[in-house]
C-alpha cells in the first residue's frame, strides 16, 4: 500500500505548469553538480565539496558550525567496518563482528498480563497489550541504569500500518468482505505506537514488562487532544466531538522524533488511506480532500466505523495528518495533536535547537511533488521548566522550502494574512492555513520535490540532510536543480547548510549530496563518490539518522526495485570520501529498514525491520519469508533489532582494537 499511495495531487505538477517563482528560479543555473558527465568522471564530488571540507577527517560537519549550540565542535571519525555484500534472501545480514538481537516482535508482551502471541487467534484485546505491527520510527530516552544493568531507557516505536493479508489468516479469498468488524478492530489496535522501558544486561537488551512507563497507543482507543491554532475549528468538529478538540487515535505513524524534554513525536503520514465513502455532493471540503487524496480507500474500517467513512462523518479526515506529541514520562498523559506543525503526509519530526534555544523541526511531506517544511517555535526551550516545554509546539512559525537553482533556499512562512494566505484565497484564519497546509504552500510557490521523506539535522554541524525517495512521474520539463532527474526512479539526498549553524534561519544554502541508483548504469544519471563499492550504492533513501559522532546513516524503502534487499548504509559527508556509501545492514526479503536510532553512547543501534515477507501476492499463508522465527506455523513478524558490536565498541567504527 505504501508504494502505491503516491499518486500526485499537487495541481501545479499535474498541470505541468510552473509558477512565476518556478520560472524565475530556473533562470539561474548552478555550477557543475547537475552534470552527469562530471559525476561519471569523478569530478562532481569535488565540485560539490563544501569550502574547507576537502581535507579528510578534519573537514567534518562541525567545521561549519559557527553556532555550536553550546557544544564543542566534534571531530567525526570516518566509518570503519567491513562492508556487507548486496543480495536478497530470507534473512538479515550485517558485518561478522556485529550481532543483531531481536528485541521486540509484533505480538510480543509489553505488560506482565499480556496474552501470549497466537497468530491464529488474534484480537483487538490481545493486540492492545502486545507490540504492534509494522514498527517504523524508533526513539530512545536514556534512564539511569539500576543494579546489574549496563544501560536502560525508554523505547518509543511507531506502528505505521498493517499489511492486511499478511497479518491475519484466511483473508485473501474473499477480501474485502472478509474484513469483519473484529478483524478491522484488530488492525486498529495493531496501529499506533509503543512506549516501553528496556534495559541492557550482559550486552543484551530486553523489555522491562513491569515498568510503569509502558503503554500502547492505538488507532481505535487512545483519547487524544487537538491543540494549537486549528484546535476547535468548526472544520474539525464531528458528531462525536462538537468541540473540535477531542479525537480518538492516530494512524500511519511513520517516522517521528524525540524532544529534549522527554516527549515522543508521532508523524501521521498516509492518513488518507483509512477513509472510505464519498463526500456529499458539492461538499465544501471537496477541494481540500482532493489535495490530500481523500478518501484513499486502503482499509476497510469505514465499513464498520462511521468516522472512517466520509459520507457519514465528513470532517473526520481533517483531524488526521498532524504530528502527535506524547509525554513519555507520564504514561497517563493525553497525547496532543499539534496543529501548528501543519497538516500533510508527515514523514518525520526530529527536533534540533537553534542557537537561541528555539525548537526547530524539519519535516517532509511524502508524496510526489510535495514539499519540505520546518517549524520554528516561538519560545525557547528551557531546560529547567518541563511544563513550559510541553506546550512549545503549540506556538511558532511553519515554513515551506523554495529551493532556488542558484543553491540558495528560502524558507517561506505559512502565516495567515501574509502574501496570498488571505480570505480572498479562502483562508479565514491561521487554523485554516494549517488545515490546508498543502494548498497554502502551493500558493507560496514552494518547490515540488521528489517525495520528501526523513529530514534530519546534525545538531553540532549546521547541516541538514533531506531524503528524497523517488518520483517516477517527474517529466523532463518539470526538472529543476533540486530535482534534476526526469523519471527519478532511485531518489537523491540534498544537503542544506544553515548559516552560522542557525537552524531557525530563513535563507539557507543547499546542494545535492548523492543521486541514488546504480552508478555503473549511465542512463540513470546517478552521482556517488567513485570510492563507493558495488555494494555501497542504493536506491530509495527513506529514513536517516545522525549518530553521536555526527555521521549520516540512511535506510531504504524501495531498494528492492534494484533486485537487492533494502537496508542501512553509512554515508560519508566530509573529506575525500564525501558522497560514498557503505553497506552495513541488509533486511530480509519483502522488508524495508526504518527507525535507525543510536543509543546515546553509539554502542547500540536500534533498527526497525518492517513488513518482512511482503511482496506481490504474499499472504499470511504464503509469505516470502517467515523471518525472524522461521516457524512454518507462524507468519513473519515485523521486529525491532538491537545491533551491537561484539567487542562493545561504537557502531560503524572506529575500531578500538
Ligand atoms: Fe512511511 Fe514515507 O514512509
Ligand atoms: Ca518512511
Ligand atoms: Ca517508507
Amino acid at each position: 500500500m505504501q508504494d502505491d499511495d503516491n499518486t500526485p495531487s499537487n495541481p501545479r505538477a499535474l498541470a505541468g505548469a510552473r509558477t512565476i517563482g518556478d520560472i524565475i528560479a530556473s533562470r539561474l543555473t548552478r555550477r557543475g553538480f547537475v552534470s552527469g558527465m562530471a559525476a561519471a568522471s569523478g569530478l562532481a564530488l569535488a565540485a560539490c565539496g563544501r569550502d574547507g571540507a576537502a581535507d579528510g577527517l578534519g573537514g567534518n560537519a562541525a567545521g561549519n558550525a559557527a553556532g555550536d549550540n553550546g557544544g564543542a565542535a566534534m571531530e567525526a571519525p570516518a566509518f570503519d567496518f567491513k562492508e556487507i555484500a548486496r543480495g536478497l534472501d530470507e534473512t538479515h545480514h550485517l558485518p561478522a563482528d556485529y550481532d543483531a538481537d531481536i528485541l521486540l516482535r509484533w505480538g510480543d508482551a509489553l505488560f506482565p498480563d499480556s496474552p501470549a502471541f497466537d497468530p491464529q487467534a488474534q484480537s483487538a484485546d490481545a493486540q492492545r497489550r502486545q507490540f504492534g505491527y509494522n514498527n517504523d520510527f524508533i526513539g530512545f530516552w536514556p534512564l539511569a541504569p539500576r543494579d546489574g544493568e549496563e544501560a536502560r531507557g525508554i523505547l518509543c516505536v511507531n506502528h505505521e500500518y498493517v499489511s492486511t493479508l499478511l497479518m491475519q489468516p484466511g483473508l485473501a479469498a474473499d477480501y474485502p468482505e472478509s474484513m469483519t468488524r473484529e478483524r478491522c478492530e484488530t488492525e486498529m489496535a495493531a496501529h499506533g505506537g509503543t512506549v516501553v522501558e528496556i534495559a541492557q544486561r550482559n550486552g543484551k537488551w530486553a523489555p522491562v514488562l513491569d515498568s510503569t512507563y509502558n503503554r500502547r497507543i492505538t488507532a481505535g482507543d487512545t483519547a487524544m487532544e487537538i491543540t494549537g491554532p486549528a484546535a476547535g475549528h468548526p472544520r474539525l468538529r464531528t458528531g462525536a466531538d462538537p468541540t473540535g478538540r477531542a479525537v480518538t487515535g492516530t494512524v500511519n505513524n511513520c517516522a517521528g522524533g524525540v524532544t529534549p524534554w522527554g516527549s515522543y513525536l508521532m508523524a501521521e503520514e498516509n492518513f488518507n488511506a483509512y477513509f472510505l465513502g464519498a463526500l456529499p455532493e458539492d461538499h465544501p471540503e471537496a477541494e481540500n480532500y482532493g489535495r490530500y487524496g481523500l478518501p484513499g480507500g486502503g482499509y476497510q474500517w469505514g465499513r464498520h466505523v462511521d468516522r472512517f467513512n466520509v459520507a457519514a462523518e465528513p470532517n473526520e479526515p481533517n483531524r488526521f495528518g498532524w504530528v502527535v506529541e506524547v509525554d513519555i514520562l507520564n504514561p497517563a498523559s493525553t497525547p496532543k495533536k499539534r496543529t501548528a506543525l501543519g497538516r500533510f503526509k508527515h514523514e518525520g519530526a526530529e527536533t534540533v535547537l537553534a542557537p537561541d534555544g528555539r525548537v526547530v523541526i524539519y519535516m517532509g511531506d511524502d508524496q510526489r511533488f510535495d514539499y519540505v517544511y520546518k517549524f520554528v517555535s516561538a519560545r525557547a526551550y528551557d531546560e529547567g521548566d518541563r511544563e513550559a516545554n510541553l506546550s512549545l509546539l503549540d506556538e511558532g512559525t511553519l515554513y515551506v522550502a523554495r529551493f532556488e537553482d542558484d543553491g540558495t533556499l528560502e524558507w517561506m512562512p505559512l502565516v495567515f494574512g501574509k502574501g496570498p494566505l488571505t480570505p480572498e484565497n479562502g483562508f479565514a484564519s491561521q487554523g485554516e492555513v494549517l488545515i490546508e497546509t498543502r494548498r497554502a504552500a502551493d500558493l507560496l510557490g514552494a518547490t515540488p520535490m521528489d517525495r520528501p521523506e526523513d529530514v534530519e539535522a546534525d545538531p553540532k554541524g549546521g547541516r541538514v540532510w533531506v531524503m528524497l525517495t523517488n518520483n517516477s512521474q517527474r517529466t523532463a520539463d518539470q526538472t529543476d536543480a533540486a530535482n534534476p532527474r526526469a523519471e527519478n526512479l532511485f531518489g537523491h539526498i540534498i544537503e542544506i547548510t544553515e548559516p552560522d549553524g542557525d537552524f531557525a534561519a530563513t535563507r539557507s544554502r543547499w546542494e545535492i549530496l548523492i543521486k541514488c541508483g546504480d552508478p555503473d548504469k549511465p542512463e540513470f544519471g546517478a552521482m556517488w563518490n567513485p570510492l563507493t563499492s558495488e555494494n555501497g550504492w542504493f536506491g530509495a533513501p527513506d529514513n536517516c539518522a545522525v549518530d553521536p559522532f555526527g555521521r549520516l546513516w540512511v535506510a531504504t524503502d524501495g531498494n528492492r526495485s534494484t533486485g537487492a534487499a533494502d537496508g542501512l548504509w553509512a554515508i560519508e559527508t566530509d573529506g575525500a570520501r564525501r558522497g560514498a556509501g557503505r553497506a552495513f545492514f541488509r533486511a530480509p526479503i519483502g522488508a524495508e529498514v526504518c527507525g535507525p536510532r543510536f543509543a546515546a553512547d553509539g554502542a547500540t543501534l536500534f533498527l526497525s525491520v518492517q513488513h518482512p515477507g511482503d511482496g506481490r501476492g504474499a499472504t499470511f499463508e504464503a509469505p516470502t519469508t517467515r523471518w525472524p522465527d522461521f516457524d512454518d506455523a507462524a507468519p513473519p513478524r515485523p521486529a525491532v533489532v538491537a545491533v551491537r558490536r561484539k567487542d562493545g565498541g561504537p557502531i560503524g567504527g572506529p575500531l578500538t582494537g
Side-chain angles (χ1 to χ4, degrees):
M1 179 206 83
Q2 301 301 298
D3 290 340
D4 297 338
D5 187 43
N6 280 289
T7 311
S9 65
N10 187 334
R12 298 164 67 210
L14 293 176
R18 309 185 84 194
T19 65
I20 298 264
D22 298 333
I23 292 161
I24 292 169
S26 66
R27 279 187 304 137
L28 306 163
T29 54
R30 290 203 70 207
R31 50 204 166 119
F33 74 83
V34 293
S35 160
M37 291 276 290
S41 70
L43 295 173
L45 272 296
C48 289
R50 293 174 311 110
D51 295 344
D55 60 346
L57 297 184
N60 64 33
N64 205 31
D68 65 6
N69 299 324
M74 281 172 47
E75 293 267 317
F79 291 109
D80 188 2
F81 64 87
K82 194 164 184 305
E83 182 170 53
I84 62 166
R86 283 174 70 76
L88 180 67
D89 61 25
E90 293 194 353
T91 194
H92 63 277
H93 298 268
L94 72 172
D97 50 340
Y98 287 79
D99 287 321
D101 295 329
I102 307 297
L103 175 61
L104 280 162
R105 299 162 298 180
W106 162 52
D108 276 347
L110 296 172
F111 306 93
D113 67 348
S114 296
F117 179 60
D118 181 349
Q120 295 290 345
Q122 298 179 43
S123 70
D125 280 346
Q127 188 64 84
R128 286 183 198 105
R129 309 296 285 169
Q130 297 167 335
F131 195 62
Y133 204 83
N134 273 348
N135 36 263
D136 194 302
F137 173 79
I138 302 171
F140 181 76
W141 179 263
L143 299 171
R146 291 174 292 216
D147 282 353
E149 297 171 345
E150 293 128 32
R152 185 167 75 104
I154 300 173
L155 206 70
C156 315
V157 182
N158 282 349
H159 301 295
E160 184 186 20
Y161 73 107
V162 299
S163 311
T164 294
L165 301 183
L166 203 52
M167 176 181 153
Q168 300 193 59
L171 293 182
D174 59 342
Y175 182 85
E177 283 68 31
S178 53
M179 290 306 295
T180 60
R181 171 178 278 274
E182 290 69 27
R183 301 277 201 177
C184 289
E185 286 176 349
T186 299
E187 287 196 337
M188 290 179 213
H191 275 70
T194 288
V195 179
V196 59
E197 183 179 326
I198 59 172
Q200 181 196 320
R201 293 170 181 266
N202 302 317
K204 302 283 186 200
W205 289 92
V208 179
L209 299 190
D210 59 0
S211 169
T212 55
Y213 292 117
N214 298 0
R215 78 184 287 187
R216 266 305 312 282
I217 292 158
T218 74
D221 306 284
T222 308
M224 301 197 170
E225 183 184 347
I226 300 172
T227 71
H233 194 284
R235 294 170 68 182
L236 267 53
R237 296 177 193 163
T238 65
D241 171 30
T243 71
R245 295 173 184 274
V247 59
T248 301
T250 180
V251 295
N252 215 264
N253 306 94
C254 190
V258 173
T259 68
W261 53 92
S263 67
Y264 149 43
L265 302 180
M266 309 171 71
E268 296 185 327
E269 194 189 23
N270 296 309
F271 63 96
N272 60 315
Y274 296 84
F275 295 90
L276 290 177
L279 276 182
E281 201 138 318
D282 298 326
H283 193 277
E285 296 294 350
E287 184 190 4
N288 169 26
Y289 285 9
R291 187 65 179 86
Y292 290 95
L294 282 158
Y299 290 91
Q300 302 304 312
W301 305 356
R303 289 170 171 250
H304 309 292
V305 181
D306 274 356
R307 70 189 179 104
F308 292 114
N309 184 324
V310 298
E313 195 56 272
N315 281 353
E316 189 74 7
N318 280 336
R319 295 141 63 83
F320 291 83
W322 306 104
V323 170
V324 182
E325 180 173 13
V326 182
D327 176 357
I328 57 174
L329 303 183
N330 176 8
S333 60
T334 302
K336 309 280 198 296
K337 294 201 179 188
R338 301 294 191 193
T339 63
L341 278 63
R343 176 168 171 269
F344 46 88
K345 294 186 180 179
H346 281 278
E347 175 73 24
E350 205 63 78
T351 53
V352 65
L353 296 180
D356 64 6
R358 285 182 292 165
V359 179
V360 180
I361 301 181
Y362 292 89
M363 299 177 286
D365 181 356
D366 183 3
Q367 188 140 13
R368 294 184 179 105
F369 302 106
D370 264 290
Y371 307 130
V372 174
Y373 296 83
K374 79 174 170 186
F375 171 82
V376 181
S377 66
R379 288 182 287 121
Y381 165 67
D382 179 350
E383 197 174 353
D385 191 347
R386 184 161 195 266
E387 207 48 44
N389 296 333
L390 281 165
S391 61
L392 276 175
L393 303 187
D394 279 340
E395 275 177 77
T397 305
L398 181 66
Y399 298 89
V400 66
R402 184 159 70 202
F403 293 81
E404 310 285 7
D405 283 11
D406 67 354
T408 60
L409 188 168
E410 184 181 356
W411 294 102
M412 302 179 293
L414 282 85
V415 174
F416 170 65
K418 267 191 121 156
L421 308 183
T422 58
E424 295 73 57
N425 285 317
F427 298 104
S429 64
Q430 182 63 17
E432 297 208 327
V433 168
L434 294 166
I435 291 168
E436 293 188 71
T437 299
R438 282 183 167 183
R439 189 169 71 85
D442 296 342
L443 288 167
L444 289 172
T447 303
M449 308 297 288
D450 287 345
R451 288 188 57 196
E453 301 260 20
D454 239 352
V455 185
E456 293 217 16
D458 173 7
K460 298 263 202 277
R463 289 190 293 180
V464 181
W465 290 289
V466 184
M467 306 298 118
L468 297 154
T469 198
N470 58 60
N471 183 354
S472 59
Q473 295 181 20
R474 187 178 291 274
T475 59
D477 66 351
Q478 290 174 321
T479 58
D480 54 32
N483 301 275
R485 287 189 288 183
E487 204 184 335
N488 180 6
L489 297 175
F490 305 109
H492 56 289
I493 299 174
I494 285 180
E495 178 177 281
I496 295 170
T497 301
E498 299 289 23
D500 301 324
D502 182 3
F503 296 107
T506 57
R507 292 287 295 184
S508 315
R509 294 197 62 81
W510 67 271
E511 62 188 60
I512 291 182
L513 177 65
I514 290 169
K515 289 188 241 169
C516 303
D518 186 346
D520 289 334
K521 298 210 169 103
E523 64 270 30
F524 293 139
M527 183 183 86
W528 294 89
N529 185 310
L531 297 173
T532 303
S533 83
E534 63 184 349
N535 303 306
W537 66 268
F538 56 80
D542 185 342
N543 293 132
C544 61
V546 177
D547 73 15
F549 297 105
R551 301 179 301 191
L552 178 63
W553 297 75
V554 174
T556 65
D557 176 16
N559 190 56
R560 305 187 288 288
S561 73
T562 72
D566 278 297
L568 181 75
W569 279 260
I571 306 293
E572 298 284 3
T573 58
D574 293 294
R577 294 186 61 86
R578 174 173 159 84
R582 192 188 300 206
F584 181 80
F585 181 90
R586 229 171 80 188
I589 186 169
E592 70 171 279
V593 175
C594 33
R597 171 66 62 181
F598 291 86
D601 62 359
T604 297
L605 164 63
F606 300 105
L607 288 176
S608 271
V609 173
Q610 193 187 88
H611 53 79
D614 208 351
R616 194 171 295 278
T619 62
F620 181 97
E621 292 77 16
T624 56
T625 179
R626 294 185 189 275
W627 187 91
D629 300 340
F630 298 104
D631 174 352
D632 285 344
R637 298 168 76 178
V640 170
V641 299
V643 174
R644 293 189 44 88
R645 230 167 81 180
K646 286 176 177 162
D647 67 0
I651 305 291
L655 295 166
T656 50

